[in-house]
Amino acid sequence: MTEPLAPRPAAKAGRWTKQSAGATFAAAAALAFTRDVAFETFKQVLPDWAYTATTVVGLIAAAGAYCLALLWLRRLP
């Protein structure tokens, strides 16, 4: 029986799977789409913080898209 707090075995470094490639593409697409939409909005609403707010929103959208795509792609055969 293994200990419940024992560390997991490390995954092989540099492993690029179809799932991670697809999820990275989804994150990049979400970042590009969000950047275009958010910058126009923040340029009018928060002109001094437009670039910072766009970057934060884009990173949040990219992280969410990566996680959702990874979950979805792992279910495929």
Side-chain angles (χ1 to χ4, degrees), residues 10-77:
K12 293 182 181 179
R15 195 157 182 220
W16 190 251
T17 63
K18 290 180 186 178
Q19 290 88 3
S20 61
T24 302
F25 177 75
L31 181 65
F33 178 74
T34 305
R35 183 188 63 215
D36 294 339
V37 173
F39 184 70
E40 293 299 323
T41 303
F42 287 131
K43 188 167 59 171
Q44 295 175 5
V45 177
L46 301 167
D48 294 337
W49 292 91
Y51 290 104
T52 304
T54 301
T55 302
V56 169
V57 169
L59 290 175
I60 291 171
Y66 183 85
C67 292
L68 288 175
L70 201 59
L71 287 172
W72 182 67
L73 289 171
R74 284 184 180 163
R75 293 181 184 193
L76 294 176

